[in-house]
């Protein structure tokens, strides 16, 4: 179904009432950006495999009682405590703190070795996190949607002058996926990047950084006359993602035509629609409650906030890809 994204660029179903522009109507596709999780690959099995590798690693170095369930519980506890003081940290730091909390809990109940230094535990946590991140990329390649590569290759063929980028809140990076995606993307912007955090999705800041990366690439190619603003009619930017608030609403506010990828077929194993009940463009569906996936550490307040943002994002949907 992702192959339909390429066809959507020239389809009469593209609606862009929020922006009137001759350049957009022509659909030159100068810049095409993608979300990753649940757009290019399913996040649930990817996180499941990465977590399993992390737990296996921790067991292998002597922390046999740490489980995926206890690790997620610690992550939720830390995130909840941070929310009470209105403090935001990166997902990398959140995961490292959860690993350390689990190790400390185990040490408290199982060991009394006073010779273990703080440096020892810092290095241990860093290594454990690196195992998780490495396996996240391996799992992303393993579970890549079966038609993702053919879709990207078609985009490359039909829009040879377009720049293709990834915009993600997490640590997935197609440039690190050497066996699948690295040659099909020109850049990747993460919510963890120093010039982005804490302005990750749905904040507009991450998209503004992506525009700057695009501009920097053009400069490297010798075109130093480019002036990018969200109102620049010479630029046709299309962003594609599964999340109404994070991908559709936020990117559209920065000047993108937003394509919503909402795949209900089980073979794609998407989670955003199930989490927020956005299976149709009927805004009344947003209010339905649904159990959150195992990997989500979002609080109920955060979920409700997202539902409200989803409602506001409906008007920015330029096209919808569904199956």
């Amino acid at each position: 179904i992702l192959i339909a994204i390429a066809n959507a660029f020239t389809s009469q179903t593209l609606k862009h009432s929020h922006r009137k522009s001759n350049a957009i109507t022509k659909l030159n596709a100068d810049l095409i950006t993608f979300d990753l999780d649940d757009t290019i690959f399913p996040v649930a099995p990817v996180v499941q495999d990465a977590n399993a590798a992390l737990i296996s690693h921790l067991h292998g170095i002597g922390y046999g009682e740490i489980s995926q369930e206890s690790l997620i519980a610690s992550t939720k506890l830390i995130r909840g405590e941070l929310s009470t003081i209105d403090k935001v940290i990166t997902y990398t730091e959140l995961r490292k703190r959860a690993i350390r909390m689990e190790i400390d809990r185990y040490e408290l109940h199982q060991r009394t070795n006073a010779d273990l230094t703080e440096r020892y535990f810092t290095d241990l946590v860093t290594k454990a996190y690196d195992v998780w991140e490495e396996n996240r990329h391996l799992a992303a390649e393993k579970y890549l949607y079966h038609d993702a590569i053919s879709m990207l290759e078609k985009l490359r063929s039909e829009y040879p002058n377009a720049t293709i980028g990834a915009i993600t809140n997490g640590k997935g990076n197609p440039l690190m996926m050497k066996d699948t995606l690295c040659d099909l993307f020109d850049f990747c912007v993460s919510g963890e990047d120093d010039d982005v955090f804490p302005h990750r999705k749905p904040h507009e800041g991450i998209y503004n950084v992506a525009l700057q990366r695009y501009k920097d690439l053009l400069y490297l190619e010798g075109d130093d006359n480019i002036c990018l603003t969200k109102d620049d009619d010479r630029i046709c930017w299309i962003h594609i993602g599964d999340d109404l608030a994070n991908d559709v609403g936020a990117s559209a506010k920065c000047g993108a035509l937003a394509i919503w990828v909402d795949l209900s077929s089980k073979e794609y194993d998407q989670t955003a629609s199930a989490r927020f009940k956005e299976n149709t463009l009927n805004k009344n569906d947003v209010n339905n409650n649904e159990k959150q996936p195992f990997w989500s550490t979002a609080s109920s307040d955060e979920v409700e906030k997202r539902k409200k943002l989803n409602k506001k994002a409906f008007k920015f949907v330029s096209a919808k890809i569904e199956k």
Side-chain angles (χ1 to χ4, degrees):
I1 193 64
L2 286 183
I3 200 71
I5 294 173
N7 299 328
F9 295 153
T10 52
S11 169
Q12 293 300 315
T13 61
L14 264 176
K15 311 275 185 217
H16 46 83
S17 58
H18 59 288
R19 288 194 65 201
K20 299 295 184 181
S21 162
N22 291 332
I24 292 299
T25 303
K26 293 178 182 178
L27 291 175
N28 295 314
D30 302 297
L31 174 62
I32 304 170
T33 55
F34 287 87
D35 172 56
L36 294 177
D37 293 343
D38 279 351
T39 299
I40 299 295
F41 47 77
V43 66
V46 169
V47 172
Q48 179 78 37
D49 276 18
N51 285 351
L54 170 61
I55 297 302
S56 178
H57 169 77
L58 291 173
H59 288 185
I61 59 175
Y63 296 96
E65 292 189 359
I66 297 177
S67 67
Q68 183 169 175
E69 291 73 21
S70 66
L71 186 66
I72 292 174
S74 291
T75 306
K76 289 181 177 180
L77 178 62
I78 294 168
R79 190 167 178 175
E81 291 174 346
L82 291 172
S83 68
T84 63
I85 58 175
D86 198 26
K87 182 177 176 59
V88 179
I89 60 176
T90 66
Y91 294 130
T92 297
E93 179 62 23
L94 177 63
R95 192 170 300 278
K96 285 183 176 180
R97 289 190 186 187
I99 294 171
R100 179 60 188 268
M101 178 178 286
E102 285 295 286
I103 289 174
D104 286 348
R105 179 178 60 81
Y106 188 87
E107 289 287 342
L108 180 64
H109 291 91
Q110 303 294 331
R111 298 180 181 179
T112 58
N113 191 343
D115 296 331
L116 298 178
T117 65
E118 180 63 25
R119 177 62 182 270
Y120 168 85
F121 286 112
T122 298
D123 290 346
L124 189 153
V125 168
T126 298
K127 174 60 178 177
Y129 174 80
D130 288 345
V131 168
W132 183 89
E133 186 172 313
E134 177 184 2
N135 280 273
R136 191 192 200 284
H137 284 115
L138 291 173
E141 293 194 288
K142 175 182 176 181
Y143 294 108
L144 195 68
Y145 288 148
H146 65 85
D147 44 10
I149 290 180
S150 61
M151 175 272 297
L152 290 163
E153 290 176 340
K154 183 173 183 180
L155 288 182
R156 283 293 192 195
S157 175
E158 296 193 2
Y159 302 93
N161 296 321
T163 297
I164 298 180
I167 305 175
T168 178
N169 272 350
K171 292 302 292 288
N173 186 341
L175 303 181
M176 299 294 292
M177 301 177 193
K178 302 300 183 182
D179 294 331
T180 53
L181 299 180
C182 67
D183 293 332
L184 297 170
F185 282 82
D186 297 305
F187 70 91
C188 178
V189 175
S190 168
E192 307 275 282
D193 292 347
D194 291 340
D195 55 351
V196 174
F197 184 79
H199 298 145
R200 57 196 179 201
K201 302 176 188 178
H203 197 281
E204 296 171 28
I206 189 171
Y207 290 100
N208 290 328
V209 170
L211 282 174
Q212 184 59 49
R213 298 274 179 90
Y214 170 57
K215 182 177 179 180
D216 291 343
L217 285 175
L218 294 182
Y219 282 156
L220 289 174
E221 293 170 359
D223 190 349
D224 56 1
N225 294 315
I226 295 296
C227 178
L228 274 178
T229 68
K230 69 179 182 179
D231 298 318
D232 192 334
D233 288 343
R234 294 177 298 163
I235 302 300
C236 178
W237 171 25
I238 300 168
H239 181 70
I240 302 147
D242 70 301
D243 193 290
L244 276 169
N246 282 358
D247 294 308
V248 174
S251 68
K253 290 178 181 178
C254 294
L257 280 174
I259 296 180
W260 181 25
V261 183
D262 185 39
L263 309 174
S264 59
S265 173
K266 290 184 178 179
E267 67 178 306
Y268 292 99
D269 197 17
Q270 278 191 331
T271 59
S273 290
R275 294 173 69 193
F276 306 113
K277 298 300 291 184
E278 298 293 352
N279 293 311
T280 69
L281 284 178
N282 181 352
K283 66 181 181 180
N284 292 326
D285 288 341
V286 182
N287 292 320
N288 293 333
N289 291 318
E290 189 75 12
K291 182 179 179 181
Q292 296 300 296
F294 74 92
W295 49 265
S296 175
T297 58
S299 67
S300 58
D301 288 342
E302 289 171 321
V303 171
E304 290 305 313
K305 181 179 179 180
R306 179 71 68 81
K307 289 180 181 180
K308 293 177 181 179
L309 290 174
N310 284 352
K311 282 185 178 181
K312 295 179 180 179
F314 277 118
K315 64 181 179 181
F316 294 115
V317 175
S318 294
K320 182 181 179 184
I321 309 300
E322 57 187 327
K323 183 177 180 180

